[in-house]
Amino acid sequence: MVIGDGILTPAISVFSAVSGVELAMSKEHHQYIEVPATCIILIALFALQHYGTHRVGFLFAPVVITWLLCISSIGLYNIVYWNPHVYQALSPYYMYKFLKKTQREGWMSLGGILLCITGSEAMFADLGHFSQFSIQIAFTTMVYPSLILAYMGQAAYLSKHHVIQSDYHIGFYVSVPEKLRWPVLAIAILAAVVGSQAIITGTFSIIKQCSALGCFPRVKIVHTSSKIHGQIYIPEINWTLMLLCLAVTIGFRDTKRMGNASGLAVITVMLVTTCLMSLIIVLCWHRSVFLAIAFVVFFGTIEALYFSASLIKFLEGAWVPIALSFLFMIVMCVWHYGTLKKYEFDVQNKVSVDWLLSLGPSLGIVRVRGIGLIHTELVSGIPAIFSHFVTNLPAFHQVLVFLCVKSVPVPHVKHEERFLVGHIGPREYRMYRCIVRYGYRDAHKDDMVFENDLVCSIAEFIRTGKSSINGVTLDDLDAAAAGNEKDIYEDMTVVGTPSTHLDGIQLRVDEADQAGPSELREIRSPPVSKSRKRVRFVIPESPKIDSIAREELRDLMEAREAGIAYILGHSYVKAKQGSSLVKKLAINYGYDFLRRNCRSPTYAFSVPHASTLEVGMVYYI
C-alpha cells in the first residue's frame, strides 16, 4: 500500500494544485490545461530524482515554510473575517453530534475527508533523513498548527457560503482571496512537488528494504549521498512510478476519484501500522498486553471507521490501490518463495571441505595452468556449481579462488580492509577463498587492476603466513549466508590492496626478460619466449620465506602468467515433477520471468567476456 501511495500521492498532489487554474479561466478551457500541465510537472519531478535528495533538498525547507505560513495566514484571515466562532469545531463533541445527526450519510462522507490526513505517512519515510526528535518538533510547532488554521479558515468561509453560485468545486482556492490566487497557486504547485518527493523517497526505501530481505527482484540501487545511507535512487522503480502516475492522472482526470484511491491507501497503511504498533508495545517496549489492546481498540476503532467509509468508494476509484498492492504483493511473494527455495537447494547441495580432502591435492581431476575465479554468494563451503562443473568436465585450473563480493552499508571500505583471504583445505591444494568488500560509494576498478590487486593480496597472505582472522569473523560479514558452518581450513585474514602495504609483495608484468634485482628479491617464473608476458613478484628483502611458501608463490605466479578465467554460475529453477499447479505456475513461469528480467547479481568489476565461462545448472525444487 505504501508503494501504491507512492504512485497516487504525486498524481493527486500535483493535479489538485494545478486544478486551481479553473478559477482563472472558463470551464471549457481549463480542462485542457490541467492534465497536460500535471503530466509535464510529474515528468520533470521524476527526471530530477537521479540527482538525489541532497542536491535539490535545499529548496524544500523554504518552499514548505512559505506554504505553511501562506495557508495558516489565509486560514487566520478567513476565521477573523467570516466566522470567529469556528474554533468551537475543535471540540470532539461536534464530531459526535454530526455523526449522530447524519448517521449513514455522515459515515459515508468520512471517506471524502481522508485527504486532510494524507501525506502524514511520509513522515515515517523521512526518518531516513532526519532524526525522530526533529520531526516531532517540526510537526507539533509548525505543521499541525498551520493545518488546523487552514482547515478552520475553509470551514469559516464555507459556513457563510453554503451555496457557491458557480461550477467551482475546489474548496481551498475558493476560500483564497481573489488577489492572492495566482501566487498561492504557484506556491501550491511547488509544495505539491516537495510533498511528492517525500513519498517517492519513501517508496525507494521500502523497495530497498524488501530487496535486502529477498522479497523483491534485484534492482539497481544508487546511493546519491556519501554521508546519509538512506538517500537512494532506484532507476527502474523511478520510471515505473512515473508511468503509473501518468496513467492514473490521464485515466482519472478528477480529484474526487484520485482522492478516493489515495484515501484508501493511506488509511490502510495507518490501520496496519496501528496493528503492528501493538506488537512493538509488547515485544520491544515490554509493556502490558492490556495496554497494547487498549491502544489498538482506541486508535483502531477510529481508523476502522474511516477504512469502512473508504471501501464503499471501491468502484469510484478506490479499487486502484487495492489492484496495485495486489500486483506488487504477487511479485514479492513469488520472488521470495523462489529465492528461498533456491537458497535451500544451495545449502543442501553445498560441497563440504571433507569431500575435497578425500580427493587429494589434484582433486581427482586434471589441473591445468591458470587461475580459476569462481563467483559465489556463499562465504563458507563450496558451491554446488563447482561439483557440477568438475563432474561433467574433470579438469580445472591449478589455482582456484572462490570469490565472494560483498557490499557493506558504509560509504567506503578502507583499502587495508578490502580483502579477506584464506585457504580452503591444505596449502598444497592451491585453493583459496577471497571475500572482497565494497562500500556503496566506492569506485569499482576495471578488471586488470582488480586482478592485480587480488593476486597480490593472495601472495601477501601466502608470504605472511597468517592464519588468524585478526578480529574479523565470517559472522560479521554475512551471518545469514554463513549459517553455522565455519571450517577449520577457512580461517581468514585481512589483507589490503598493494597500495596499503608498499613494503609487501608487488606485482610486475614485463613484455620480455629483463635484468632485475637478485634472486633474493624476486621469484621468477620459468623462462618463456619473448612474445609472452613475464610475471614476477617483487618481495621485501628482510623477511625470510620458507620453501613451502616460496613454492606456493611460484605456482601462483605461473598461474597468473597463464591467465585468469572467470567462472560464473547461471542457475535455472524448475519445479519438481509431481508439484502442485500453483507451485509450477509460481516457479516455472512467475519466478523464471522475474529472474530473466531483473538485474543480474552485481560484481564489483567488469568481467572480461573473453575470459568468462558460464556454467549452467538446473535447480529442481
Side-chain angles (χ1 to χ4, degrees), residues 153-421:
Q154 292 182 48
Y157 180 88
L158 294 175
S159 67
K160 301 300 181 179
H161 300 81
H162 296 289
V163 180
I164 300 179
Q165 303 296 330
S166 67
D167 294 330
Y168 300 149
H169 58 275
I170 308 300
F172 171 73
Y173 286 106
V174 170
S175 64
V176 175
E178 188 173 354
K179 295 182 179 179
L180 298 177
R181 283 175 182 169
W182 279 108
V184 170
L185 174 64
I187 300 174
I189 293 175
L190 292 176
V193 170
V194 173
S196 301
Q197 173 68 41
I199 194 62
I200 292 172
T201 304
T203 304
F204 290 160
S205 299
I206 288 287
I207 296 294
K208 178 180 180 294
Q209 294 164 20
C210 291
S211 181
L213 293 173
C215 296
F216 201 87
R218 289 184 297 267
V219 291
K220 181 180 180 180
I221 298 176
V222 180
H223 292 266
T224 58
S225 173
S226 58
K227 297 180 180 179
I228 302 178
H229 184 245
Q231 294 187 3
I232 59 174
Y233 166 69
I234 305 178
E236 297 97 325
I237 301 301
N238 182 68
W239 302 121
T240 302
L241 290 180
M242 186 193 75
L243 293 176
L244 292 175
C245 277
L246 295 177
V248 168
T249 303
I250 297 172
F252 280 161
R253 289 175 288 181
D254 180 18
T255 54
K256 181 180 179 181
R257 287 185 291 176
M258 287 187 190
N260 294 335
S262 181
L264 180 60
V266 169
I267 198 61
T268 304
V269 171
M270 291 184 174
L271 188 60
V272 173
T273 303
T274 299
C275 296
L276 295 177
M277 191 65 195
S278 64
L279 299 179
I280 297 294
I281 293 174
V282 176
L283 301 178
C284 297
W285 296 352
H286 304 292
R287 300 297 181 87
S288 171
V289 176
F290 297 102
L291 177 63
I293 294 175
F295 176 84
V296 172
V297 169
F298 179 76
F299 289 101
T301 302
I302 299 174
E303 292 168 354
L305 196 64
Y306 281 99
F307 180 74
S308 59
S310 297
L311 282 180
I312 64 174
K313 305 291 182 64
F314 182 83
L315 298 178
E316 300 177 22
W319 60 271
V320 172
I322 295 179
L324 290 173
S325 61
F326 185 70
L327 176 63
F328 282 110
M329 195 177 203
I330 290 177
V331 170
M332 293 168 69
C333 289
V334 169
W335 180 262
H336 178 65
Y337 179 76
T339 303
L340 183 63
K341 290 299 181 182
K342 181 177 178 294
Y343 178 75
E344 290 177 354
F345 184 92
D346 278 330
V347 173
Q348 293 170 2
N349 294 272
K350 185 169 60 174
V351 180
S352 65
V353 177
D354 293 335
W355 178 78
L356 286 178
L357 295 177
S358 65
L359 299 177
S362 66
L363 304 181
I365 58 177
V366 178
R367 303 293 290 270
V368 298
R369 296 186 70 218
I371 298 177
L373 285 183
I374 305 172
H375 289 274
T376 175
E377 295 182 3
L378 300 175
V379 295
S380 68
I382 309 299
I385 200 73
F386 174 72
S387 62
H388 177 72
F389 182 91
V390 298
T391 301
N392 293 275
L393 184 63
F396 224 104
H397 301 83
Q398 66 185 106
V399 175
L400 296 180
V401 180
F402 291 90
L403 183 65
C404 181
V405 180
K406 288 293 180 182
S407 295
V408 292
V410 295
H412 299 281
V413 173
K414 297 179 180 179
H415 289 287
E416 56 267 23
E417 299 176 359
R418 175 81 67 204
F419 293 92
L420 271 80
V421 184

Side-chain angles (χ1 to χ4, degrees), residues 70-86 149-161 171-177:
C70 175
I71 61 175
S72 58
S73 301
I74 294 173
L76 189 62
Y77 166 80
N78 286 329
I79 293 171
V80 174
Y81 189 81
W82 297 111
N83 190 354
H85 300 287
V86 76
L149 288 175
Y151 291 133
M152 287 175 59
Q154 292 182 48
Y157 180 88
L158 294 175
S159 67
K160 301 300 181 179
H161 300 81
F172 171 73
Y173 286 106
V174 170
S175 64
V176 175

Side-chain angles (χ1 to χ4, degrees), residues 134-154:
S134 64
I135 293 178
Q136 290 174 342
I137 292 177
F139 185 76
T140 55
T141 61
M142 187 72 179
V143 179
Y144 188 71
S146 299
L147 294 176
I148 289 296
L149 288 175
Y151 291 133
M152 287 175 59
Q154 292 182 48

Side-chain angles (χ1 to χ4, degrees), residues 42-62:
L42 287 174
I43 292 174
L45 170 64
F46 284 99
L48 292 175
Q49 291 301 313
H50 71 279
Y51 288 107
T53 305
H54 70 290
R55 295 282 180 84
V56 295
F58 71 95
L59 294 173
F60 289 1

